[in-house]
Amino acid sequence: MNQSKKNKTRSAILHSAHTLFYENGFEETTVAEITKGAHVAKGTFFNHFPTKESILHALFEKQLLELLNQQHENLSSDTILTHIRSCLLFLLKDYDIHPSLTIQTLKHVIENEKRLHTYWVELLERAYETLSLKEREHYAHIINSHITYTMSAFHQESTRIGLVHRAMSLIETSFNAISLKRRSLLMKKLVVLGAGYGGMRVLQRLLPNDLPKDWEIILVDEMPYHCLKTEYYALAAGTASDHHLRVTFPEDARLHIKYATVTAIHAEDHAIELNNGETLPFDKLVIGLGCTDKYHGVPGADTYTYSIQTMSATRRTYEALNNVRPEGVVSIVGAGLSGVELASELRESRPDLSIKLFDRGESVMSQFPKKLSAYVQNWFVEHGVDVSNNSNITKVEPGALYNHDERIESDAVIWTAGVQPVQVVRDLDVEKDRSGRIKLTPQHFIPNHPDIFVVGDCASLPHAPSAQLAEGQAEQIVTILKHQWKEEPLPEEMPRIKLKGVLGSLGKKHGFGMMGERPLTGRVARILKSGVLWMYKYHSG
């Protein structure tokens, strides 16, 4: 039999099978019926097709060849999903007329024919030049798997468009998930521990335009927002709402947030351990985890006092103060800025309470000029706050504290008498000062660890910790990061961080502070503080 006759016989068999499959269905059609329709013997059928199923390949072959022969110029990762969709529409072009047979044919080809898989691999190679062959084959397998699943799960879909839409939803979801994971693995990581004033300023200065394209930022914090720690006293006293103390994080595709607690920092291994069991690698690290109360070895202080060092602790303190009985006694240990602001704010919010403020110095706010310190001390005298100067708290028990071993009944004791870096920083095996803060190079990174920076309360600096200092330090850390990313020499010294001053409140109408060398008291100082807070909340960064 010459080739022409063979081709004619093959075409006759295919035509007969095609007609019968459409009329009766694939399963219901027999080989005998096909050969009868083609006017050939049964043996002739098997000379051309080893099985009835092999006819499905032949019926699909022409359509598949047309697809394989198409030229696709300028294919990129941005257009690959669009192209897969157009391919599916082409392969399912007979679905609206013969849905069952079209599905059966396509499923059979996917399961038994590698040519479609190879076609996807070739497309992916052109769209993603950086993908390895193994990765391209994995993507191609995902495409075929999702098509097969769609054909089985949604075979009752009434239209070709609807069926393709369902398949593409699955494919696109998988592609996006894999792309994000792959992108995450390829991107270098700047990890910021803590969304305090320093960490927040780093985010604001790098996003959206100053972070290199091959870097991403991972922020680790327990809260879903930046908290205004300088205003915790007002939350505890009940004069400011929780919502009032929140600032949203910057929004950027390269900022990823993990809500967790840091349990360990492995400087040598460039890794962070989180309380959820996750190990987080980093290329650059900014430690800004803040501080916790320092109890100076006073028995019972860590157990029987309340704190305003964290948002969660301050919420508990607010609840405790709110539940103090009328004419109850509240004792505040420590007359620094936090203790003074809390005592004055509580005096206004709960005039029924007896408030006692315990201060180790000769007068409150002794770090300020005497005139200003005297103003604050007199404010307390005039407003009925009992200030105990030269105090020495020796013990705290349920319902009482001891000043020079004298028992003083108290319904609630608030501790504001000193801070120290959080435990995970204290556990870090690097050089620290007497307060447990990490000693740094002039460029704010740990000596011999140029990829690990420390900002804020955990850093050993010439000035007392403050929000303003943390922000100024963060500005300089960003400068150093930019030098490192550009592989430029680092400056040997950094400019002195200029602090504009300190402002404190005495309730809602009075205040105090230093602006440069100039002391401020009264309503002007309070208005200035309110203005600074407003500017930070709505115009920071």
Side-chain angles (χ1 to χ4, degrees):
M1 184 181 295
N2 59 40
Q3 190 63 43
S4 176
K5 189 174 181 179
K6 283 184 178 181
N7 291 340
K8 188 176 180 180
T9 301
R10 177 183 174 85
S11 296
I13 295 171
L14 284 174
H15 178 73
S16 175
H18 187 267
T19 301
L20 290 166
F21 288 165
Y22 281 165
E23 290 176 354
N24 306 324
F26 177 79
E27 297 296 340
E28 289 74 17
T29 300
T30 65
V31 172
E33 289 173 329
I34 295 172
T35 56
K36 181 178 179 181
H39 305 289
V40 297
K42 194 173 183 179
T44 303
F45 173 90
F46 288 111
N47 286 335
H48 291 273
F49 301 101
T51 64
K52 185 178 72 169
E53 286 75 13
S54 63
I55 295 181
L56 292 177
H57 289 286
L59 291 175
F60 199 70
E61 179 127 6
K62 182 179 179 182
Q63 189 178 10
L64 185 58
L65 285 174
E66 289 177 11
L67 181 63
L68 298 176
N69 290 333
Q70 290 182 21
Q71 296 297 317
H72 311 288
E73 302 297 332
N74 302 318
L75 189 59
S76 69
S77 59
D78 295 327
T79 61
I80 183 67
L81 290 170
T82 300
H83 187 76
I84 293 172
R85 176 184 172 84
S86 67
C87 291
L88 280 180
L89 287 170
F90 179 81
L91 294 173
L92 292 168
K93 63 182 181 180
D94 291 335
Y95 179 82
D96 292 339
I97 304 171
H98 302 287
S100 179
L101 183 61
T102 302
I103 286 178
Q104 190 168 17
T105 303
L106 183 54
K107 283 178 62 179
H108 187 81
V109 170
I110 288 175
E111 293 168 2
N112 299 280
E113 174 64 65
K114 293 184 178 180
R115 293 176 66 185
L116 190 58
H117 179 274
T118 302
Y119 178 67
W120 301 134
V121 171
E122 292 172 353
L123 288 184
L124 290 161
E125 182 178 13
R126 300 180 63 184
Y128 299 97
E129 294 180 356
T130 59
L131 285 179
S132 67
L133 176 59
K134 185 176 180 179
E135 289 174 318
R136 294 196 302 273
E137 289 180 343
H138 182 59
Y139 272 73
H141 177 72
I142 287 173
I143 297 171
N144 279 346
S145 295
H146 285 328
I147 294 172
T148 301
Y149 173 80
T150 302
M151 300 301 136
S152 298
F154 305 108
H155 62 276
Q156 299 296 330
E157 182 65 46
S158 59
T159 66
R160 174 180 63 145
I161 297 295
L163 193 66
V164 171
H165 174 73
R166 290 184 180 277
M168 287 307 302
S169 294
L170 295 173
I171 293 169
E172 186 171 356
T173 299
S174 292
F175 269 42
N176 287 340
I178 294 173
S179 295
L180 284 174
K181 178 67 174 177
R182 187 170 180 273
R183 176 179 176 270
S184 178
L185 292 173
L186 293 174
M187 296 284 278
K188 296 178 182 177
K189 294 171 175 55
L190 167 62
V191 175
V192 178
L193 304 181
Y197 290 94
M200 190 72 166
R201 184 53 58 94
V202 170
L203 302 183
Q204 291 167 339
R205 288 296 175 257
L206 289 176
L207 300 171
N209 298 320
D210 289 336
L211 185 69
K213 292 183 178 180
D214 57 340
W215 283 77
E216 63 182 355
I217 299 178
I218 300 175
L219 172 65
V220 180
D221 199 272
E222 296 175 344
M223 295 291 180
Y225 39 76
H226 166 60
C227 302
L228 299 177
K229 186 176 181 179
T230 58
E231 304 303 300
Y232 281 177
Y233 72 91
L235 175 61
T239 59
S241 68
D242 185 303
H243 189 269
H244 181 72
L245 273 61
R246 303 177 186 178
V247 177
T248 57
F249 296 140
E251 292 185 5
D252 192 280
R254 291 181 293 165
L255 173 61
H256 309 284
I257 304 171
K258 290 185 178 293
Y259 302 114
T261 301
V262 178
T263 57
I265 300 171
H266 301 288
E268 298 294 340
D269 297 330
H270 276 56
I272 305 298
E273 286 186 26
L274 305 179
N275 64 333
N276 59 12
E278 182 179 359
T279 298
L280 181 64
F282 66 84
D283 296 283
K284 300 285 184 184
L285 178 67
V286 177
I287 301 173
L289 291 170
C291 59
T292 186
D293 292 294
K294 188 172 184 178
Y295 298 104
H296 308 286
V298 176
D302 60 341
T303 305
Y304 303 116
T305 67
Y306 293 93
S307 170
I308 57 171
Q309 286 304 321
T310 66
M311 176 67 91
S312 57
T314 304
R315 288 169 177 157
R316 291 191 293 271
T317 300
Y318 162 72
E319 184 177 3
L321 290 175
N322 197 52
N323 291 331
V324 172
R325 61 185 173 83
E327 300 182 351
V329 178
V330 173
S331 295
I332 300 172
V333 181
L337 186 59
S338 296
V340 164
E341 289 189 309
L342 176 59
S344 60
E345 200 80 4
L346 192 59
R347 163 50 66 231
E348 290 193 355
S349 69
R350 289 290 304 272
D352 61 295
L353 296 178
S354 174
I355 301 173
K356 299 181 180 294
L357 181 61
F358 296 89
D359 177 36
R360 291 181 65 90
E362 296 286 339
S363 64
V364 297
M365 304 302 295
S366 56
Q367 70 271 33
F368 286 100
K370 288 185 178 180
K371 179 180 178 181
L372 193 149
S373 175
Y375 171 81
V376 177
Q377 182 102 4
N378 290 336
W379 189 95
F380 283 130
V381 172
E382 293 171 3
H383 289 79
V385 175
D386 181 11
V387 179
S388 296
N389 299 117
N390 298 307
S391 66
N392 181 28
I393 306 304
T394 55
K395 185 168 60 173
V396 182
E397 292 178 345
L401 79 165
Y402 291 77
N403 182 24
H404 295 287
D405 294 326
E406 177 188 354
R407 181 181 173 88
I408 299 170
E409 300 291 334
S410 297
D411 292 278
V413 180
I414 319 301
W415 192 273
T416 66
V419 295
Q420 60 185 337
V422 295
Q423 185 67 51
V424 69
V425 170
R426 301 203 302 273
D427 291 341
L428 199 55
D429 186 19
V430 295
E431 187 178 5
K432 305 181 185 75
D433 63 16
R434 293 176 59 186
S435 299
R437 296 183 174 91
I438 298 174
K439 290 186 176 182
L440 304 173
T441 67
Q443 299 80 17
H444 306 292
F445 56 75
I446 299 176
N448 302 317
H449 295 281
D451 296 326
I452 305 178
F453 299 84
V454 185
V455 66
D457 296 341
C458 298
S460 179
L461 298 170
H463 306 282
S466 68
Q468 192 179 160
L469 180 62
E471 290 178 328
Q473 192 190 4
E475 298 273 1
Q476 294 191 354
I477 288 174
V478 169
T479 298
I480 296 300
L481 283 170
K482 290 179 179 179
H483 280 296
Q484 290 179 337
W485 285 328
K486 294 177 182 178
E487 298 184 351
E488 297 174 345
L490 303 184
E492 294 184 5
E493 297 291 334
M494 300 300 292
R496 180 175 173 270
I497 297 174
K498 296 180 181 180
L499 303 179
K500 297 178 182 179
V502 179
L503 292 169
S505 67
L506 293 169
K508 297 302 183 188
K509 296 180 179 179
H510 301 88
F512 60 94
M514 297 289 297
M515 298 300 289
E517 300 297 322
R518 181 185 176 188
L520 295 173
T521 58
R523 182 173 289 273
V524 172
R526 189 63 180 91
I527 292 173
L528 279 175
K529 181 177 179 183
S530 296
V532 168
L533 177 63
W534 187 89
M535 286 292 292
Y536 180 86
K537 284 189 68 175
Y538 300 106
H539 293 280
S540 63

